[in-house]
mmCIF file of all heavy atoms in Angstrom:
data_model
loop_
_atom_site.group_PDB
_atom_site.id
_atom_site.type_symbol
_atom_site.label_atom_id
_atom_site.label_comp_id
_atom_site.label_asym_id
_atom_site.label_seq_id
_atom_site.Cartn_x
_atom_site.Cartn_y
_atom_site.Cartn_z
ATOM 1 N N VAL A 523 -17.101 17.727 -11.177
ATOM 2 C CA VAL A 523 -17.473 19.049 -11.611
ATOM 3 C C VAL A 523 -19.044 19.161 -11.634
ATOM 4 O O VAL A 523 -19.576 20.191 -11.200
ATOM 5 C CB VAL A 523 -16.937 19.463 -13.016
ATOM 6 C CG1 VAL A 523 -17.540 20.706 -13.554
ATOM 7 C CG2 VAL A 523 -15.377 19.545 -12.843
ATOM 8 N N LEU A 527 -21.442 21.706 -9.425
ATOM 9 C CA LEU A 527 -22.465 22.603 -10.042
ATOM 10 C C LEU A 527 -23.851 22.286 -9.466
ATOM 11 O O LEU A 527 -24.676 23.252 -9.343
ATOM 12 C CB LEU A 527 -22.458 22.388 -11.526
ATOM 13 C CG LEU A 527 -21.262 22.945 -12.322
ATOM 14 C CD1 LEU A 527 -21.259 22.418 -13.824
ATOM 15 C CD2 LEU A 527 -21.212 24.454 -12.289
ATOM 16 N N THR A 552 -22.413 28.848 -10.565
ATOM 17 C CA THR A 552 -23.087 28.726 -11.835
ATOM 18 C C THR A 552 -22.131 28.132 -12.817
ATOM 19 O O THR A 552 -22.490 27.407 -13.713
ATOM 20 C CB THR A 552 -23.623 30.075 -12.288
ATOM 21 O OG1 THR A 552 -24.435 30.645 -11.343
ATOM 22 C CG2 THR A 552 -24.447 29.886 -13.605
ATOM 23 N N TYR A 553 -20.832 28.545 -12.636
ATOM 24 C CA TYR A 553 -19.758 28.027 -13.534
ATOM 25 C C TYR A 553 -18.680 27.456 -12.701
ATOM 26 O O TYR A 553 -18.347 27.890 -11.589
ATOM 27 C CB TYR A 553 -19.221 29.173 -14.405
ATOM 28 C CG TYR A 553 -20.246 29.835 -15.335
ATOM 29 C CD1 TYR A 553 -20.977 30.860 -14.883
ATOM 30 C CD2 TYR A 553 -20.383 29.348 -16.605
ATOM 31 C CE1 TYR A 553 -21.913 31.509 -15.701
ATOM 32 C CE2 TYR A 553 -21.336 29.957 -17.456
ATOM 33 C CZ TYR A 553 -22.084 31.081 -16.967
ATOM 34 O OH TYR A 553 -22.981 31.617 -17.826
ATOM 35 N N VAL A 554 -18.020 26.425 -13.252
ATOM 36 C CA VAL A 554 -16.845 25.754 -12.576
ATOM 37 C C VAL A 554 -15.841 25.549 -13.696
ATOM 38 O O VAL A 554 -16.156 25.154 -14.799
ATOM 39 C CB VAL A 554 -17.228 24.437 -11.911
ATOM 40 C CG1 VAL A 554 -15.995 23.664 -11.477
ATOM 41 C CG2 VAL A 554 -18.121 24.735 -10.677
ATOM 42 N N PHE A 582 -9.383 22.230 -16.993
ATOM 43 C CA PHE A 582 -10.818 21.862 -17.345
ATOM 44 C C PHE A 582 -11.533 23.136 -17.782
ATOM 45 O O PHE A 582 -11.476 24.131 -17.016
ATOM 46 C CB PHE A 582 -11.536 21.160 -16.164
ATOM 47 C CG PHE A 582 -12.790 20.463 -16.510
ATOM 48 C CD1 PHE A 582 -12.785 19.120 -16.934
ATOM 49 C CD2 PHE A 582 -14.008 21.132 -16.503
ATOM 50 C CE1 PHE A 582 -14.000 18.500 -17.167
ATOM 51 C CE2 PHE A 582 -15.174 20.468 -16.801
ATOM 52 C CZ PHE A 582 -15.185 19.157 -17.192
ATOM 53 N N PRO A 583 -12.223 23.160 -18.873
ATOM 54 C CA PRO A 583 -12.782 24.390 -19.333
ATOM 55 C C PRO A 583 -14.023 24.836 -18.507
ATOM 56 O O PRO A 583 -14.626 24.050 -17.703
ATOM 57 C CB PRO A 583 -13.391 24.005 -20.809
ATOM 58 C CG PRO A 583 -13.604 22.500 -20.647
ATOM 59 C CD PRO A 583 -12.475 22.035 -19.768
ATOM 60 N N SER A 584 -14.360 26.101 -18.609
ATOM 61 C CA SER A 584 -15.453 26.671 -17.832
ATOM 62 C C SER A 584 -16.790 26.010 -18.360
ATOM 63 O O SER A 584 -17.069 26.055 -19.582
ATOM 64 C CB SER A 584 -15.490 28.129 -17.982
ATOM 65 O OG SER A 584 -16.687 28.688 -17.426
ATOM 66 N N VAL A 585 -17.557 25.435 -17.433
ATOM 67 C CA VAL A 585 -18.760 24.798 -17.811
ATOM 68 C C VAL A 585 -19.862 25.163 -16.825
ATOM 69 O O VAL A 585 -19.598 25.617 -15.719
ATOM 70 C CB VAL A 585 -18.696 23.270 -17.921
ATOM 71 C CG1 VAL A 585 -17.745 22.849 -19.060
ATOM 72 C CG2 VAL A 585 -18.190 22.709 -16.513
ATOM 73 N N SER A 586 -21.138 24.924 -17.224
ATOM 74 C CA SER A 586 -22.249 25.192 -16.365
ATOM 75 C C SER A 586 -23.238 24.077 -16.650
ATOM 76 O O SER A 586 -23.090 23.174 -17.607
ATOM 77 C CB SER A 586 -22.937 26.561 -16.660
ATOM 78 O OG SER A 586 -23.392 26.627 -17.950
ATOM 79 N N ASP A 589 -24.375 22.827 -20.228
ATOM 80 C CA ASP A 589 -23.360 23.204 -21.190
ATOM 81 C C ASP A 589 -23.055 22.081 -22.165
ATOM 82 O O ASP A 589 -22.847 20.869 -21.686
ATOM 83 C CB ASP A 589 -22.074 23.659 -20.425
ATOM 84 C CG ASP A 589 -21.022 24.159 -21.339
ATOM 85 O OD1 ASP A 589 -20.487 23.411 -22.155
ATOM 86 O OD2 ASP A 589 -20.773 25.447 -21.217
ATOM 87 N N THR A 591 -20.385 21.190 -23.783
ATOM 88 C CA THR A 591 -19.105 20.621 -23.468
ATOM 89 C C THR A 591 -19.207 19.569 -22.324
ATOM 90 O O THR A 591 -18.699 18.471 -22.375
ATOM 91 C CB THR A 591 -18.036 21.646 -23.100
ATOM 92 O OG1 THR A 591 -17.912 22.552 -24.227
ATOM 93 C CG2 THR A 591 -16.710 21.001 -22.784
ATOM 94 N N LEU A 592 -19.891 20.025 -21.218
ATOM 95 C CA LEU A 592 -20.105 19.161 -20.097
ATOM 96 C C LEU A 592 -20.933 17.942 -20.457
ATOM 97 O O LEU A 592 -20.596 16.797 -20.093
ATOM 98 C CB LEU A 592 -20.684 19.916 -18.926
ATOM 99 C CG LEU A 592 -21.015 19.083 -17.618
ATOM 100 C CD1 LEU A 592 -19.754 18.561 -17.107
ATOM 101 C CD2 LEU A 592 -21.744 19.961 -16.644
#
Side-chain angles (χ1 to χ4, degrees):
V523 170
L527 289 170
T552 307
Y553 299 89
V554 169
F582 194 91
S584 171
V585 294
S586 60
D589 188 291
T591 300
L592 179 61

